[in-house]
Amino acid sequence: MDLFVQQTVNALALGGTYALLALGLAVVFSIMGLINFAHGELMTISGYTLMYCGILGVPFAVSVPLAILAAVLAAVAMERIAFRPVRGGSGATMLITSFAVAMILQVLFQNLISARSQAVALPQILSQSVHLGNVIIGVNKIAAIAATVLMLIFLDRFMNRQKTGIAMRAAAEDFAVARLMGIRANTVIAGAFAISGLLAGVAAVLWVSQRASVDPLMGFTPVLKAFIAAILGGLGSLRGAVAGGFMLGFIEVYLAAFLPQEFQEFREPIGLGLVVLILLFRPNGMIPSRFLGLIKV
Amino acid sequence: MLTSSRTQLLASGGMIIMLSVIAVFVATWFGPATERMLTVFFISLTAVVGIGVYSGNSGILSFGHVAFMGVGAYASSLLTVPAALKGATLPGLPTWLADVELTLIPATLIAMVFTAVVALAVGAAISKLEGSAATIATLGLLIIVHGVIIGWRDVTRGAQSFFGVPRVTDLVTAAAFCVVALLLARLYRDSVSGLRLRAGRENAIAAGAVGVRIRWERLISFVLAAAIMALAGAMMAHFLGAFSPKKFYFNDTFLLLAMLIVGGMSTVTGAITGAVVITLVTEILRRLESGFSIGVFDVPPIFGTAQIGIGLIILLAMFRKVDGLAGLKEWEERVLPGSTLIAQVAPPSVGAQDVLSGEGLTMQFGGLTAVDDVSIQILPGQIVGLIGPNGSGKTTLLNMLSGILTPTQGQILLGGRDLTGLSSPKIADQGIARTFQNIRLFTNLTVYQNVLVAALSTHRGKDAVARAQTALDWLDVMKHVAADAGTLSYGDQRRVEIARALACQPQVLFLDEPAAGMNREETDALMEILRRLSADLGISVLLVDHDLELINQLSDQIMVLNEGRMIAQGTPQEIRRNKAVIEAYLGTGRENTN
């Protein structure tokens, strides 16, 4: 039972990070149909900002917002430089563009910073843990869960109460009509990228706080998982992205904890196999976007 | 059966063989280093064209096919590694596999069949997904297969290097296999299945409405592509002699996709162009990577120059040439004339014998009832006009009758056969064809291909060419056959769409605002054609339009919808005098009392 509680906390922490990343992908996808391969590089940029802040002796409380800000700025810059020229292109065109951006950034990190993994200075408290009965929970896990919850509440408020947020939802529903209603395309898309950068930045801080190191490919694996989470939840649906992120987190953590030893090697294929199984029954994901595939004939 | 002219295919095949032979001779003259480079190039090209068979024709980018390359590599190697060596390196191997020792060609063939079977299972699942979701699913496939290869140590040595594979892929073998793959891909593109799949890529809904079962065609190309990837994988394995699972993962996927996309994914010409360009650029940049000096300047070695170069080329291609360097057409399609039309053969004209009836049709979208308990009957050879204000449910009714929407309630019968709930390709095959309110042509296919694919996909493709030609003749668009459908004028596009529907040899034809955007003369000409369709061919027509003059002159019966309900039905004279109709169109009005 204790083990179960323990693993559930782990699953929530990991799933929360996936959820934030998947949400960042979904915000952009729902508005411009781009699956952003370079989302992981936003994480990496955030991670390196944390690392440099640590080297310069900036207090952690300051370096976290700086790291998140770096991801936001990078996301907006990425949109302006690389994605605006292909706006309105096919899904494949935009996907490939983002993949080229990711590739270039990775090589730049390797050359300008280091190809090897770099240590990141973290405050002591993050590596401590709390005892609740027989359950030991790392402070970093608690921080991750808390940060995820805060971000989700913030985003929910933003999307439902703020003018820009409502405009973004309108644009996701029907971009052409939204523009006719006087919503500026550039503002909405830049806003979407800023939000996705914010989410990637927070996810990066959480990811780094579990591992205390950064490398040029840091963002690759988690974002790959976030892609899968976004599909699992329902591509283009924000609630779906969150649900898919948590679902994937639970599948991974529980399989790691409870799968018999002889199958552990196949953990990843089995996990993804489960995802495929869910998709076979729900091809549009767990919570499909209402607007995706709604075509006027 | 092939759908394009023999001249083009022969030219393409001849060019492929000639270029390969020349390349082999040139490389042999340059020496072993160049030979090795060219061998790798041929293997890469085989893989690129393999991905192109699926991604190019279906329009769905696949990250997963490199996994099949891996499957092919491992499967073929397990068959060719000497039994004695297998005993030492893979002690856990089942005996029936441990004792096998084949040569390259049989091993490759078996590996291709095995991979195709795996791909069939995977493809059946993936073909359910659409667009970007399918792309990400293929990404998942790559990860899953990689995971299985690493985990299945008894057979694959896990993450460790799989070695001892006989190095029997020489330049000539690679060139020969590559030519086979290129020819296969080229022929598939213009096969019936390839043409259907490309129609589906251009417009999925319209393809369904002319009888194309897109998922099935996608599955065929998915499996064929996987088999070609297995061929590339087997060659690669027997070229390298030793490899690990990493060889068939993201790095190579990205490199191969870069070749495919820069060249242009929908053609074999594009695949070749892309492979040549990226290979050359990579080779040049690799030389620069180790550092060089220009005069007095020493350029320091920069790690990953080749990768940045490829990245920039992709960006440039996406910004400037979205369809790739080669565009959407094969070179021979640009240079040589297309299909020459055969002599007129009169197709069997069936006409309508059956009554189409919809009974109590209701369509609800969430809380909105778009069509509410509407019954409709179209007698053989009749022209029925369907009118009503915007949003009254006309198109929704058409969508239900043509299988694009499944009615929430009600029944659709054609001559007593129940069509309710059938998919749109099946309905098309039953003899109901349609056009769309917003023109849905296959814009990058020629007019001839647009119409031919419809004829090929209905009535088992019987007399397809004759049917296509007759339909083109009827609508007087024969002069445009070689043009891309998307380049025609609006009125001509409407006519081609009707020709495409007619090529399905329908009993009943649905026309959704066929005269929209036409001037008076064009409308009159169209009217004449429709009248003859019904009189000469005996086809029933259900006509939706806002041009009341057109409707009044053509229709035997008029039905009027308002807010989802049928408010009137009768001959044109009756409808003109009907109070409810006048109210719906002009409002109740107010008595002028001052």
mmCIF file of all heavy atoms in Angstrom, chain A residues 35 82 93 95-97 99 103 110-111 224 231 235 265-266 269 272 280 283 296-297, chain B residues 61 63 128-129 133 136 144 151 153 254 261 303 307 314-315 318-319 322 395 436 440:
data_model
loop_
_atom_site.group_PDB
_atom_site.id
_atom_site.type_symbol
_atom_site.label_atom_id
_atom_site.label_comp_id
_atom_site.label_asym_id
_atom_site.label_seq_id
_atom_site.Cartn_x
_atom_site.Cartn_y
_atom_site.Cartn_z
ATOM 1 N N ILE A 35 2.788 21.053 -35.120
ATOM 2 C CA ILE A 35 3.329 20.206 -34.061
ATOM 3 C C ILE A 35 4.765 20.629 -33.889
ATOM 4 O O ILE A 35 5.588 20.422 -34.780
ATOM 5 C CB ILE A 35 3.256 18.727 -34.440
ATOM 6 C CG1 ILE A 35 1.801 18.311 -34.589
ATOM 7 C CG2 ILE A 35 3.952 17.882 -33.391
ATOM 8 C CD1 ILE A 35 1.624 16.854 -34.861
ATOM 9 N N ALA A 82 11.179 31.531 -37.520
ATOM 10 C CA ALA A 82 11.079 30.291 -38.294
ATOM 11 C C ALA A 82 9.661 29.938 -38.721
ATOM 12 O O ALA A 82 9.464 29.417 -39.816
ATOM 13 C CB ALA A 82 11.669 29.140 -37.485
ATOM 14 N N THR A 93 4.620 20.433 -43.620
ATOM 15 C CA THR A 93 5.571 21.526 -43.847
ATOM 16 C C THR A 93 6.016 22.131 -42.521
ATOM 17 O O THR A 93 7.207 22.306 -42.267
ATOM 18 C CB THR A 93 4.896 22.636 -44.678
ATOM 19 O OG1 THR A 93 4.394 22.069 -45.864
ATOM 20 C CG2 THR A 93 5.868 23.738 -45.003
ATOM 21 N N LEU A 95 5.726 20.896 -39.488
ATOM 22 C CA LEU A 95 6.405 19.915 -38.650
ATOM 23 C C LEU A 95 7.881 19.812 -39.024
ATOM 24 O O LEU A 95 8.764 19.821 -38.169
ATOM 25 C CB LEU A 95 5.723 18.558 -38.839
ATOM 26 C CG LEU A 95 6.235 17.455 -37.951
ATOM 27 C CD1 LEU A 95 5.334 17.366 -36.734
ATOM 28 C CD2 LEU A 95 6.245 16.129 -38.650
ATOM 29 N N ILE A 96 8.135 19.744 -40.318
ATOM 30 C CA ILE A 96 9.510 19.602 -40.787
ATOM 31 C C ILE A 96 10.314 20.864 -40.475
ATOM 32 O O ILE A 96 11.480 20.798 -40.082
ATOM 33 C CB ILE A 96 9.512 19.313 -42.298
ATOM 34 C CG1 ILE A 96 9.033 17.894 -42.531
ATOM 35 C CG2 ILE A 96 10.869 19.525 -42.897
ATOM 36 C CD1 ILE A 96 9.925 16.863 -41.911
ATOM 37 N N THR A 97 9.669 22.026 -40.619
ATOM 38 C CA THR A 97 10.357 23.267 -40.279
ATOM 39 C C THR A 97 10.791 23.233 -38.818
ATOM 40 O O THR A 97 11.936 23.537 -38.486
ATOM 41 C CB THR A 97 9.418 24.463 -40.505
ATOM 42 O OG1 THR A 97 8.927 24.408 -41.839
ATOM 43 C CG2 THR A 97 10.148 25.772 -40.284
ATOM 44 N N PHE A 99 11.290 20.726 -37.011
ATOM 45 C CA PHE A 99 12.320 19.714 -36.778
ATOM 46 C C PHE A 99 13.700 20.237 -37.205
ATOM 47 O O PHE A 99 14.709 20.011 -36.519
ATOM 48 C CB PHE A 99 11.866 18.406 -37.430
ATOM 49 C CG PHE A 99 12.876 17.685 -38.266
ATOM 50 C CD1 PHE A 99 14.030 17.181 -37.691
ATOM 51 C CD2 PHE A 99 12.654 17.469 -39.608
ATOM 52 C CE1 PHE A 99 14.943 16.504 -38.458
ATOM 53 C CE2 PHE A 99 13.575 16.799 -40.377
ATOM 54 C CZ PHE A 99 14.721 16.314 -39.801
ATOM 55 N N MET A 103 16.960 20.702 -34.796
ATOM 56 C CA MET A 103 18.260 20.138 -35.134
ATOM 57 C C MET A 103 19.358 21.208 -35.060
ATOM 58 O O MET A 103 20.426 20.985 -34.487
ATOM 59 C CB MET A 103 18.188 19.558 -36.544
ATOM 60 C CG MET A 103 19.344 18.696 -36.917
ATOM 61 S SD MET A 103 18.857 17.559 -38.225
ATOM 62 C CE MET A 103 19.071 18.597 -39.641
ATOM 63 N N GLN A 110 25.557 22.134 -28.594
ATOM 64 C CA GLN A 110 26.740 21.276 -28.494
ATOM 65 C C GLN A 110 28.017 22.073 -28.725
ATOM 66 O O GLN A 110 29.018 21.871 -28.050
ATOM 67 C CB GLN A 110 26.654 20.132 -29.513
ATOM 68 C CG GLN A 110 25.664 19.063 -29.103
ATOM 69 C CD GLN A 110 25.395 18.062 -30.209
ATOM 70 O OE1 GLN A 110 25.943 18.156 -31.296
ATOM 71 N NE2 GLN A 110 24.547 17.101 -29.914
ATOM 72 N N ASN A 111 27.980 22.984 -29.683
ATOM 73 C CA ASN A 111 29.188 23.733 -30.011
ATOM 74 C C ASN A 111 29.443 24.896 -29.073
ATOM 75 O O ASN A 111 30.559 25.148 -28.676
ATOM 76 C CB ASN A 111 29.096 24.254 -31.443
ATOM 77 C CG ASN A 111 29.445 23.179 -32.434
ATOM 78 O OD1 ASN A 111 30.537 22.627 -32.382
ATOM 79 N ND2 ASN A 111 28.513 22.849 -33.282
ATOM 80 N N LEU A 224 9.140 14.186 -26.643
ATOM 81 C CA LEU A 224 8.657 13.021 -27.382
ATOM 82 C C LEU A 224 7.472 12.397 -26.645
ATOM 83 O O LEU A 224 6.439 12.062 -27.226
ATOM 84 C CB LEU A 224 9.797 12.009 -27.474
ATOM 85 C CG LEU A 224 9.916 11.186 -28.733
ATOM 86 C CD1 LEU A 224 9.933 12.091 -29.944
ATOM 87 C CD2 LEU A 224 11.187 10.367 -28.677
ATOM 88 N N ILE A 231 -1.431 13.156 -28.293
ATOM 89 C CA ILE A 231 -2.247 12.299 -29.164
ATOM 90 C C ILE A 231 -3.190 11.459 -28.330
ATOM 91 O O ILE A 231 -4.373 11.290 -28.645
ATOM 92 C CB ILE A 231 -1.335 11.349 -29.964
ATOM 93 C CG1 ILE A 231 -0.461 12.124 -30.906
ATOM 94 C CG2 ILE A 231 -2.164 10.342 -30.737
ATOM 95 C CD1 ILE A 231 -1.197 12.726 -32.040
ATOM 96 N N LEU A 235 -5.521 15.231 -29.993
ATOM 97 C CA LEU A 235 -4.717 16.313 -30.529
ATOM 98 C C LEU A 235 -5.546 17.581 -30.674
ATOM 99 O O LEU A 235 -6.642 17.564 -31.212
ATOM 100 C CB LEU A 235 -4.157 15.884 -31.887
ATOM 101 C CG LEU A 235 -2.957 16.654 -32.392
ATOM 102 C CD1 LEU A 235 -1.805 16.563 -31.421
ATOM 103 C CD2 LEU A 235 -2.536 16.135 -33.742
ATOM 104 N N GLU A 265 12.604 -4.976 -19.249
ATOM 105 C CA GLU A 265 13.298 -4.518 -20.453
ATOM 106 C C GLU A 265 12.331 -3.993 -21.505
ATOM 107 O O GLU A 265 12.675 -3.153 -22.308
ATOM 108 C CB GLU A 265 14.093 -5.670 -21.054
ATOM 109 C CG GLU A 265 15.442 -5.813 -20.428
ATOM 110 C CD GLU A 265 16.123 -7.095 -20.870
ATOM 111 O OE1 GLU A 265 15.451 -7.958 -21.467
ATOM 112 O OE2 GLU A 265 17.313 -7.220 -20.610
ATOM 113 N N PHE A 266 11.132 -4.556 -21.499
ATOM 114 C CA PHE A 266 10.149 -4.177 -22.514
ATOM 115 C C PHE A 266 9.206 -3.096 -22.018
ATOM 116 O O PHE A 266 8.137 -2.879 -22.571
ATOM 117 C CB PHE A 266 9.339 -5.404 -22.944
ATOM 118 C CG PHE A 266 10.152 -6.426 -23.667
ATOM 119 C CD1 PHE A 266 10.578 -7.573 -23.022
ATOM 120 C CD2 PHE A 266 10.515 -6.231 -24.984
ATOM 121 C CE1 PHE A 266 11.339 -8.507 -23.685
ATOM 122 C CE2 PHE A 266 11.278 -7.164 -25.656
ATOM 123 C CZ PHE A 266 11.690 -8.309 -25.001
ATOM 124 N N PRO A 269 8.158 -0.364 -24.752
ATOM 125 C CA PRO A 269 7.217 -0.875 -25.755
ATOM 126 C C PRO A 269 5.861 -1.238 -25.157
ATOM 127 O O PRO A 269 4.827 -0.977 -25.776
ATOM 128 C CB PRO A 269 7.914 -2.126 -26.285
ATOM 129 C CG PRO A 269 9.339 -1.938 -26.002
ATOM 130 C CD PRO A 269 9.438 -1.063 -24.799
ATOM 131 N N LEU A 272 3.912 2.006 -24.494
ATOM 132 C CA LEU A 272 3.388 2.593 -25.734
ATOM 133 C C LEU A 272 2.340 1.687 -26.357
ATOM 134 O O LEU A 272 1.383 2.159 -26.970
ATOM 135 C CB LEU A 272 4.528 2.850 -26.720
ATOM 136 C CG LEU A 272 5.434 4.005 -26.314
ATOM 137 C CD1 LEU A 272 6.612 4.119 -27.253
ATOM 138 C CD2 LEU A 272 4.649 5.299 -26.306
ATOM 139 N N LEU A 280 -6.752 2.680 -30.303
ATOM 140 C CA LEU A 280 -7.544 1.844 -31.200
ATOM 141 C C LEU A 280 -9.025 1.989 -30.881
ATOM 142 O O LEU A 280 -9.871 1.956 -31.763
ATOM 143 C CB LEU A 280 -7.137 0.380 -31.060
ATOM 144 C CG LEU A 280 -5.885 -0.022 -31.813
ATOM 145 C CD1 LEU A 280 -5.645 -1.508 -31.698
ATOM 146 C CD2 LEU A 280 -6.006 0.355 -33.277
ATOM 147 N N PRO A 283 -9.851 6.574 -31.486
ATOM 148 C CA PRO A 283 -8.861 7.075 -32.448
ATOM 149 C C PRO A 283 -8.604 8.577 -32.328
ATOM 150 O O PRO A 283 -7.536 9.040 -32.677
ATOM 151 C CB PRO A 283 -9.482 6.758 -33.805
ATOM 152 C CG PRO A 283 -10.541 5.765 -33.540
ATOM 153 C CD PRO A 283 -10.983 5.940 -32.132
ATOM 154 N N LYS A 296 -16.801 21.334 -42.944
ATOM 155 C CA LYS A 296 -18.041 21.720 -43.601
ATOM 156 C C LYS A 296 -17.998 21.205 -45.031
ATOM 157 O O LYS A 296 -17.092 21.499 -45.779
ATOM 158 C CB LYS A 296 -18.177 23.239 -43.592
ATOM 159 C CG LYS A 296 -19.575 23.695 -43.881
ATOM 160 C CD LYS A 296 -19.708 25.157 -43.528
ATOM 161 C CE LYS A 296 -20.854 25.839 -44.229
ATOM 162 N NZ LYS A 296 -22.063 25.088 -44.411
ATOM 163 N N VAL A 297 -18.991 20.395 -45.366
ATOM 164 C CA VAL A 297 -19.016 19.832 -46.709
ATOM 165 C C VAL A 297 -19.889 20.696 -47.607
ATOM 166 O O VAL A 297 -20.982 21.023 -47.230
ATOM 167 C CB VAL A 297 -19.587 18.402 -46.687
ATOM 168 C CG1 VAL A 297 -19.578 17.840 -48.092
ATOM 169 C CG2 VAL A 297 -18.764 17.544 -45.776
ATOM 170 N N LEU B 61 3.079 12.162 -43.237
ATOM 171 C CA LEU B 61 4.502 12.002 -42.978
ATOM 172 C C LEU B 61 4.718 10.829 -42.028
ATOM 173 O O LEU B 61 4.032 10.731 -41.020
ATOM 174 C CB LEU B 61 5.012 13.292 -42.344
ATOM 175 C CG LEU B 61 6.487 13.587 -42.445
ATOM 176 C CD1 LEU B 61 6.878 13.736 -43.903
ATOM 177 C CD2 LEU B 61 6.790 14.856 -41.693
ATOM 178 N N PHE B 63 7.359 8.836 -39.547
ATOM 179 C CA PHE B 63 8.651 8.718 -38.874
ATOM 180 C C PHE B 63 8.969 7.256 -38.612
ATOM 181 O O PHE B 63 10.032 6.929 -38.139
ATOM 182 C CB PHE B 63 8.631 9.452 -37.534
ATOM 183 C CG PHE B 63 8.647 10.940 -37.665
ATOM 184 C CD1 PHE B 63 7.474 11.663 -37.648
ATOM 185 C CD2 PHE B 63 9.833 11.610 -37.809
ATOM 186 C CE1 PHE B 63 7.481 13.032 -37.771
ATOM 187 C CE2 PHE B 63 9.854 12.981 -37.939
ATOM 188 C CZ PHE B 63 8.686 13.691 -37.915
ATOM 189 N N LYS B 128 -6.339 3.960 -39.011
ATOM 190 C CA LYS B 128 -7.535 4.535 -38.390
ATOM 191 C C LYS B 128 -7.350 6.010 -38.055
ATOM 192 O O LYS B 128 -8.314 6.734 -37.860
ATOM 193 C CB LYS B 128 -7.837 3.812 -37.070
ATOM 194 C CG LYS B 128 -8.514 2.482 -37.225
ATOM 195 C CD LYS B 128 -8.984 2.017 -35.865
ATOM 196 C CE LYS B 128 -9.989 0.909 -35.992
ATOM 197 N NZ LYS B 128 -10.606 0.596 -34.698
ATOM 198 N N LEU B 129 -6.082 6.432 -37.929
ATOM 199 C CA LEU B 129 -5.817 7.805 -37.489
ATOM 200 C C LEU B 129 -5.675 8.732 -38.681
ATOM 201 O O LEU B 129 -5.327 8.306 -39.775
ATOM 202 C CB LEU B 129 -4.528 7.843 -36.656
ATOM 203 C CG LEU B 129 -4.501 6.919 -35.451
ATOM 204 C CD1 LEU B 129 -3.142 6.951 -34.789
ATOM 205 C CD2 LEU B 129 -5.572 7.308 -34.453
ATOM 206 N N ALA B 133 -2.191 13.151 -36.221
ATOM 207 C CA ALA B 133 -2.260 12.064 -35.245
ATOM 208 C C ALA B 133 -1.560 10.828 -35.797
ATOM 209 O O ALA B 133 -0.828 10.142 -35.081
ATOM 210 C CB ALA B 133 -3.708 11.756 -34.894
ATOM 211 N N ILE B 136 2.268 11.289 -35.557
ATOM 212 C CA ILE B 136 2.812 11.046 -34.219
ATOM 213 C C ILE B 136 2.744 9.562 -33.867
ATOM 214 O O ILE B 136 3.628 9.037 -33.195
ATOM 215 C CB ILE B 136 2.055 11.885 -33.176
ATOM 216 C CG1 ILE B 136 2.165 13.364 -33.505
ATOM 217 C CG2 ILE B 136 2.588 11.636 -31.790
ATOM 218 C CD1 ILE B 136 3.557 13.914 -33.432
ATOM 219 N N ILE B 144 8.640 2.190 -30.217
ATOM 220 C CA ILE B 144 8.257 0.846 -29.775
ATOM 221 C C ILE B 144 9.197 -0.200 -30.378
ATOM 222 O O ILE B 144 9.748 -1.048 -29.669
ATOM 223 C CB ILE B 144 6.799 0.525 -30.179
ATOM 224 C CG1 ILE B 144 5.829 1.405 -29.396
ATOM 225 C CG2 ILE B 144 6.489 -0.941 -29.936
ATOM 226 C CD1 ILE B 144 4.370 1.168 -29.716
ATOM 227 N N GLY B 151 15.156 -4.807 -26.104
ATOM 228 C CA GLY B 151 14.751 -5.729 -25.051
ATOM 229 C C GLY B 151 14.908 -7.200 -25.420
ATOM 230 O O GLY B 151 15.175 -8.049 -24.563
ATOM 231 N N ARG B 153 16.870 -9.570 -26.212
ATOM 232 C CA ARG B 153 18.305 -9.865 -26.301
ATOM 233 C C ARG B 153 18.639 -11.194 -26.943
ATOM 234 O O ARG B 153 19.632 -11.320 -27.633
ATOM 235 C CB ARG B 153 18.902 -9.856 -24.899
ATOM 236 C CG ARG B 153 19.015 -8.457 -24.401
ATOM 237 C CD ARG B 153 20.112 -8.369 -23.370
ATOM 238 N NE ARG B 153 19.874 -7.166 -22.611
ATOM 239 C CZ ARG B 153 19.937 -7.110 -21.308
ATOM 240 N NH1 ARG B 153 20.233 -8.196 -20.620
ATOM 241 N NH2 ARG B 153 19.712 -5.989 -20.691
ATOM 242 N N PHE B 254 15.776 11.214 -39.526
ATOM 243 C CA PHE B 254 15.815 12.630 -39.879
ATOM 244 C C PHE B 254 16.563 12.850 -41.191
ATOM 245 O O PHE B 254 16.138 13.623 -42.043
ATOM 246 C CB PHE B 254 16.459 13.449 -38.758
ATOM 247 C CG PHE B 254 15.559 13.594 -37.572
ATOM 248 C CD1 PHE B 254 16.053 13.884 -36.321
ATOM 249 C CD2 PHE B 254 14.178 13.436 -37.713
ATOM 250 C CE1 PHE B 254 15.207 14.019 -35.229
ATOM 251 C CE2 PHE B 254 13.331 13.573 -36.634
ATOM 252 C CZ PHE B 254 13.854 13.859 -35.383
ATOM 253 N N ILE B 261 12.030 15.295 -48.192
ATOM 254 C CA ILE B 261 11.277 16.542 -48.175
ATOM 255 C C ILE B 261 11.942 17.617 -49.023
ATOM 256 O O ILE B 261 11.274 18.355 -49.733
ATOM 257 C CB ILE B 261 11.069 16.983 -46.731
ATOM 258 C CG1 ILE B 261 9.921 16.153 -46.183
ATOM 259 C CG2 ILE B 261 10.750 18.451 -46.623
ATOM 260 C CD1 ILE B 261 10.024 15.836 -44.782
ATOM 261 N N PHE B 303 32.005 21.136 -34.923
ATOM 262 C CA PHE B 303 31.309 19.873 -34.845
ATOM 263 C C PHE B 303 29.864 20.058 -35.317
ATOM 264 O O PHE B 303 29.203 21.020 -34.963
ATOM 265 C CB PHE B 303 31.340 19.388 -33.392
ATOM 266 C CG PHE B 303 30.479 18.200 -33.166
ATOM 267 C CD1 PHE B 303 30.886 16.954 -33.625
ATOM 268 C CD2 PHE B 303 29.270 18.331 -32.518
ATOM 269 C CE1 PHE B 303 30.083 15.853 -33.427
ATOM 270 C CE2 PHE B 303 28.478 17.229 -32.315
ATOM 271 C CZ PHE B 303 28.878 15.987 -32.768
ATOM 272 N N GLN B 307 25.093 18.779 -39.967
ATOM 273 C CA GLN B 307 23.724 18.823 -39.451
ATOM 274 C C GLN B 307 23.100 20.205 -39.596
ATOM 275 O O GLN B 307 21.958 20.339 -39.995
ATOM 276 C CB GLN B 307 23.712 18.427 -37.982
ATOM 277 C CG GLN B 307 23.319 16.992 -37.760
ATOM 278 C CD GLN B 307 23.463 16.627 -36.315
ATOM 279 O OE1 GLN B 307 24.526 16.802 -35.726
ATOM 280 N NE2 GLN B 307 22.394 16.137 -35.731
ATOM 281 N N ILE B 314 16.767 22.482 -45.208
ATOM 282 C CA ILE B 314 15.344 22.170 -45.006
ATOM 283 C C ILE B 314 14.549 23.462 -44.823
ATOM 284 O O ILE B 314 13.498 23.655 -45.443
ATOM 285 C CB ILE B 314 15.150 21.269 -43.775
ATOM 286 C CG1 ILE B 314 15.781 19.911 -44.021
ATOM 287 C CG2 ILE B 314 13.664 21.093 -43.474
ATOM 288 C CD1 ILE B 314 15.711 18.997 -42.833
ATOM 289 N N LEU B 315 15.066 24.373 -43.976
ATOM 290 C CA LEU B 315 14.354 25.632 -43.754
ATOM 291 C C LEU B 315 14.175 26.393 -45.061
ATOM 292 O O LEU B 315 13.089 26.865 -45.382
ATOM 293 C CB LEU B 315 15.109 26.511 -42.749
ATOM 294 C CG LEU B 315 14.999 26.124 -41.279
ATOM 295 C CD1 LEU B 315 15.647 27.172 -40.406
ATOM 296 C CD2 LEU B 315 13.544 25.948 -40.873
ATOM 297 N N MET B 318 11.560 24.777 -47.118
ATOM 298 C CA MET B 318 10.200 24.995 -46.608
ATOM 299 C C MET B 318 9.740 26.436 -46.859
ATOM 300 O O MET B 318 8.574 26.684 -47.127
ATOM 301 C CB MET B 318 10.142 24.690 -45.111
ATOM 302 C CG MET B 318 10.260 23.232 -44.779
ATOM 303 S SD MET B 318 8.940 22.228 -45.476
ATOM 304 C CE MET B 318 9.762 21.435 -46.821
ATOM 305 N N PHE B 319 10.675 27.391 -46.753
ATOM 306 C CA PHE B 319 10.295 28.793 -46.960
ATOM 307 C C PHE B 319 10.059 29.081 -48.441
ATOM 308 O O PHE B 319 9.182 29.843 -48.801
ATOM 309 C CB PHE B 319 11.385 29.743 -46.444
ATOM 310 C CG PHE B 319 11.525 29.738 -44.933
ATOM 311 C CD1 PHE B 319 12.537 30.461 -44.323
ATOM 312 C CD2 PHE B 319 10.645 29.031 -44.136
ATOM 313 C CE1 PHE B 319 12.673 30.468 -42.934
ATOM 314 C CE2 PHE B 319 10.774 29.028 -42.752
ATOM 315 C CZ PHE B 319 11.790 29.753 -42.157
ATOM 316 N N VAL B 322 7.859 24.758 -50.955
ATOM 317 C CA VAL B 322 7.188 23.877 -50.001
ATOM 318 C C VAL B 322 7.059 22.452 -50.542
ATOM 319 O O VAL B 322 7.153 21.482 -49.797
ATOM 320 C CB VAL B 322 5.792 24.434 -49.661
ATOM 321 C CG1 VAL B 322 5.062 23.516 -48.722
ATOM 322 C CG2 VAL B 322 5.931 25.791 -49.026
ATOM 323 N N THR B 395 -27.925 20.886 -47.640
ATOM 324 C CA THR B 395 -26.670 20.159 -47.780
ATOM 325 C C THR B 395 -26.590 19.007 -46.783
ATOM 326 O O THR B 395 -26.090 17.919 -47.109
ATOM 327 C CB THR B 395 -25.487 21.129 -47.617
ATOM 328 O OG1 THR B 395 -25.546 22.086 -48.671
ATOM 329 C CG2 THR B 395 -24.164 20.411 -47.686
ATOM 330 N N PHE B 436 -20.057 18.847 -54.892
ATOM 331 C CA PHE B 436 -20.037 19.547 -53.616
ATOM 332 C C PHE B 436 -20.272 21.037 -53.788
ATOM 333 O O PHE B 436 -19.930 21.630 -54.813
ATOM 334 C CB PHE B 436 -18.697 19.326 -52.918
ATOM 335 C CG PHE B 436 -18.469 17.903 -52.533
ATOM 336 C CD1 PHE B 436 -17.895 17.014 -53.427
ATOM 337 C CD2 PHE B 436 -18.859 17.443 -51.291
ATOM 338 C CE1 PHE B 436 -17.703 15.692 -53.086
ATOM 339 C CE2 PHE B 436 -18.668 16.120 -50.932
ATOM 340 C CZ PHE B 436 -18.085 15.242 -51.838
ATOM 341 N N ARG B 440 -14.797 20.375 -54.676
ATOM 342 C CA ARG B 440 -13.788 19.500 -54.088
ATOM 343 C C ARG B 440 -13.164 18.637 -55.161
ATOM 344 O O ARG B 440 -13.449 17.457 -55.268
ATOM 345 C CB ARG B 440 -14.420 18.599 -53.029
ATOM 346 C CG ARG B 440 -14.764 19.302 -51.749
ATOM 347 C CD ARG B 440 -15.425 18.374 -50.772
ATOM 348 N NE ARG B 440 -15.605 19.025 -49.500
ATOM 349 C CZ ARG B 440 -14.691 19.020 -48.536
ATOM 350 N NH1 ARG B 440 -13.567 18.368 -48.690
ATOM 351 N NH2 ARG B 440 -14.924 19.664 -47.411
#
